[in-house]
Amino acid sequence: MKIKSLIVFLILFLFGCSNNKIKDEKLVTVQEEREYLQKYGTSLSLDEVIEIARDRNLDLRIKRLETEIASLDRKIAFGNFFPSITLGANYTKLDDPINLEMGLPSLPPLPPQIGGLLSKLPNSIETKLVDESFQTVGIAAQIPIFVPSTWYLYSARKKGEDISKLAETFADKMLQLQVMSEYFYILALESERESLINNLKSSEELEKKAKVSLKVEGILDWELKKVQTLVESQKISLNKNERELKIAKMKLKRTLNLNLQEDIVLEKTETKVVKLPSLEECVYNSLDRNELLKIREKGKEINTDIKKIAITNFLPKIVLGGGYLNNSNSTLADPDFLFGHVSGVLSIFNGFKNVNEYKKAVRREKIGELTLEKQFMTTVLEVTRAYDNVETAQEFLNMAEKNYQAEMGRLKQKSAEKRVEMIGEEEYYKALAEYNTALSLKEKAQYQYEMAYGALSIAMGNNPLRGGK
């Protein structure tokens, strides 16, 4: 019984140690993350958030690995131009040596004295053909002399590497745009929160007045409940804002590959409206630098290489080879020797596979041409739409700026009136809430402008963040 209790105690002790070890590892991970963020200070700017995303985002890291794989595929294809050298060794053990039996030719009639002597000789003799055990060591090499498919395969792999680099660049820009969207959404919720807080304060002041009015029978009971319902709705809106803000920060931290439970503080950004170039210039830049269009062009060129590979199936393939061989078989007069050979293969008939492969490649090339044409039109459409979105966002920003200036002047007036007790807390908080609403709308208009301009920049092959690398 004591032994069983001791075993149970040891198991529980080891289990507890393992749990503590796991907790310590988690704490170390969180601590390392905090140390990583310390260099950015107590708050993060948009530039710093994008820098963290480009360093830690998992999707972008996957794209980088895919680019490395494409580069390795290109190097593998290039290896077909070099000779392939193989070293081989073999050891053979037989249960008996292999002998060769050779029959003797029959002789013509001979004198009795000689014939009697020869009749004692055997009719055949044996000679050793292979030793009972022997080993063979050799080295061989071969190099393609005329194999055109290897040339076009390397060309296709090189274009595939270019596509991976373009895809990585495009993924980097789309990541920046995603970070900007999540960053601005958080700032918009934080700005909206101030307006909701002041709306709630104004409603609470109105509720206080309504309770006093009910006591003196200035209002009815249902009117008080109506005001209380307004207060509850303001509280619900504020709680909803806090929940959405929490989820928005978690989404941003997921994009940054940071701990979802750690809080982050974001800095507000300043927006500068820039003069747009003409639509024709934007379209021209997009056709010259847009990554998606370049990817389609490279894809069309790869399909052309595939068609050329299909054509090479009708051509002969010539390979030069040679090597050195050493054999320990004692029956050989010369145990080692050099050899060389030239081999050629020409496909005459293989069930029309080569013909059908060529037809398939021709159709794939046509698909590439049609896809490129479609992408060309899509790019023009996307640039035009993005250009219009920037102009619309700029118009909303101008309107929101004027509304903000008006509400700021109104708040100054209400503040002065409150100081001389011309108005009460309710009217002041209402004016403050309207000011915060105007400020929130102006900031949201700024964020929408930044997002619209970033989308236009990506369509033109530029960085979505102005001044970014």
Side-chain angles (χ1 to χ4, degrees), residues 67-82:
T67 301
E68 293 179 6
I69 291 174
S71 178
L72 293 173
D73 285 338
R74 190 259 306 167
K75 293 178 180 178
I76 292 172
F78 187 72
N80 293 328
F81 297 106
F82 291 94

Side-chain angles (χ1 to χ4, degrees), residues 278-327:
S278 63
L279 177 59
E280 291 76 12
E281 185 176 351
C282 291
V283 171
Y284 175 80
N285 290 334
S286 67
L287 296 179
D288 183 50
R289 298 197 295 263
N290 184 274
E291 283 86 5
L292 291 179
L293 190 59
K294 289 183 178 180
I295 288 173
R296 297 302 183 190
E297 290 176 353
K298 292 293 182 180
K300 174 182 172 297
E301 294 174 0
I302 288 177
N303 289 331
T304 301
D305 287 333
I306 293 176
K307 185 185 75 171
K308 293 178 180 178
I309 291 175
I311 294 175
T312 61
N313 291 331
F314 300 99
L315 301 177
K317 299 175 179 61
I318 302 175
V319 178
L320 175 65
Y324 168 79
L325 186 65
N326 179 273
N327 197 310

Side-chain angles (χ1 to χ4, degrees), residues 207-388:
E207 183 184 15
K208 292 178 182 178
K209 290 183 179 181
K211 289 180 179 179
V212 174
S213 298
L214 181 63
K215 290 180 180 179
V216 298
E217 298 182 352
I219 62 173
L220 298 177
D221 182 64
W222 69 267
E223 292 177 302
L224 174 61
K225 291 181 179 179
K226 195 72 174 177
V227 174
Q228 290 175 339
T229 302
L230 176 63
V231 173
E232 289 299 320
S233 67
Q234 296 291 347
K235 290 181 179 179
I236 291 174
S237 298
L238 183 59
N239 292 334
K240 180 182 177 183
N241 174 271
E242 291 177 351
R243 297 187 190 102
E244 291 180 350
L245 181 60
K246 179 182 177 181
I247 297 299
K249 286 190 175 182
M250 291 181 70
K251 287 182 178 180
L252 177 60
K253 286 181 285 187
R254 181 189 63 180
T255 303
L256 303 181
N257 192 24
L258 296 175
N259 182 16
L260 300 184
Q261 304 305 321
E262 293 289 316
D263 190 27
I264 54 175
V265 180
L266 305 181
E267 300 175 2
K268 291 190 175 183
T269 60
E270 295 293 333
T271 297
K272 294 182 180 179
V273 178
V274 297
K275 183 179 179 181
L276 285 176
S278 63
L279 177 59
E280 291 76 12
E281 185 176 351
C282 291
V283 171
Y284 175 80
N285 290 334
S286 67
L287 296 179
D288 183 50
R289 298 197 295 263
N290 184 274
E291 283 86 5
L292 291 179
L293 190 59
K294 289 183 178 180
I295 288 173
R296 297 302 183 190
E297 290 176 353
K298 292 293 182 180
K300 174 182 172 297
E301 294 174 0
I302 288 177
N303 289 331
T304 301
D305 287 333
I306 293 176
K307 185 185 75 171
K308 293 178 180 178
I309 291 175
I311 294 175
T312 61
N313 291 331
F314 300 99
L315 301 177
K317 299 175 179 61
I318 302 175
V319 178
L320 175 65
Y324 168 79
L325 186 65
N326 179 273
N327 197 310
S328 64
N329 195 345
S330 61
T331 60
L332 297 178
D334 189 359
D336 55 350
F337 56 90
L338 295 172
F339 65 93
H341 64 83
V342 177
S343 60
V345 178
L346 177 63
S347 176
I348 302 300
F349 178 77
N350 62 352
F352 302 105
K353 289 171 59 178
N354 292 342
V355 175
N356 291 324
E357 284 288 344
Y358 174 73
K359 291 180 179 179
K360 176 182 174 182
V362 170
R363 283 155 180 77
R364 290 185 62 175
E365 184 181 29
K366 186 62 178 179
I367 291 175
E369 293 175 356
L370 297 176
T371 304
L372 178 60
E373 183 178 353
K374 179 181 177 181
Q375 185 63 45
F376 178 87
M377 293 185 292
T378 302
T379 302
V380 175
L381 176 61
E382 289 179 348
V383 171
T384 304
R385 182 167 53 191
Y387 190 90
D388 292 342

Side-chain angles (χ1 to χ4, degrees), residues 1-26:
M1 188 66 182
K2 292 181 178 180
I3 296 176
K4 291 183 178 179
S5 301
L6 181 61
I7 293 174
V8 172
F9 175 75
L10 289 174
I11 292 174
L12 293 175
F13 177 76
L14 293 174
F15 181 74
C17 292
S18 63
N19 284 342
N20 290 334
K21 184 178 180 181
I22 294 173
K23 291 179 181 178
D24 291 341
E25 289 177 354
K26 291 183 178 179

Side-chain angles (χ1 to χ4, degrees), residues 22-210:
I22 294 173
K23 291 179 181 178
D24 291 341
E25 289 177 354
K26 291 183 178 179
L27 289 175
V28 169
T29 303
V30 173
Q31 183 63 28
E32 290 176 351
E33 183 177 296
R34 290 174 180 173
E35 293 176 356
Y36 173 81
L37 294 176
Q38 280 180 357
K39 61 181 179 181
Y40 297 105
T42 58
S43 60
L44 297 173
S45 66
L46 179 58
D47 291 331
E48 292 171 341
V49 170
I50 289 179
E51 180 182 344
I52 295 173
R54 298 173 76 178
D55 181 44
R56 298 176 60 90
N57 182 262
L58 299 179
D59 293 331
L60 190 58
R61 288 162 67 179
I62 291 174
K63 283 294 181 183
R64 289 169 181 161
L65 290 174
E66 290 175 351
T67 301
E68 293 179 6
I69 291 174
S71 178
L72 293 173
D73 285 338
R74 190 259 306 167
K75 293 178 180 178
I76 292 172
F78 187 72
N80 293 328
F81 297 106
F82 291 94
S84 60
I85 302 174
T86 57
L87 178 64
N90 179 47
Y91 174 78
T92 303
K93 174 68 176 178
L94 305 175
D95 59 346
D96 291 308
I98 299 177
N99 298 327
L100 179 64
E101 182 179 359
M102 294 184 297
L104 296 176
S106 58
L107 298 176
L110 297 174
Q113 300 84 358
I114 300 176
L117 181 63
L118 292 179
S119 62
K120 298 179 181 181
L121 296 177
N123 296 327
S124 62
I125 61 173
E126 291 185 357
T127 180
K128 184 168 64 174
L129 180 63
V130 179
D131 291 342
E132 184 176 351
S133 64
F134 60 92
Q135 62 185 16
T136 304
V137 178
I139 184 170
Q142 66 177 16
I143 184 171
I145 300 300
F146 183 77
V147 184
S149 60
T150 57
W151 310 334
Y152 301 121
L153 177 61
Y154 174 76
S155 177
R157 294 296 189 188
K158 180 67 174 64
K159 295 179 178 69
E161 182 184 17
D162 295 337
I163 288 177
S164 295
K165 291 179 180 179
L166 289 170
E168 180 185 344
T169 302
F170 183 74
D172 180 83
K173 294 178 180 178
M174 291 302 296
L175 173 64
Q176 294 181 50
L177 191 65
Q178 178 185 349
V179 170
M180 290 170 62
S181 175
E182 295 171 348
Y183 187 97
F184 291 145
Y185 182 60
I186 292 173
L187 294 183
L189 290 174
E190 291 176 345
S191 177
E192 187 181 75
R193 186 172 183 273
E194 296 298 325
S195 175
L196 294 174
I197 290 175
N198 289 303
N199 276 330
L200 178 59
K201 289 181 179 179
S202 177
S203 299
E204 289 174 342
E205 292 295 327
L206 180 61
E207 183 184 15
K208 292 178 182 178
K209 290 183 179 181

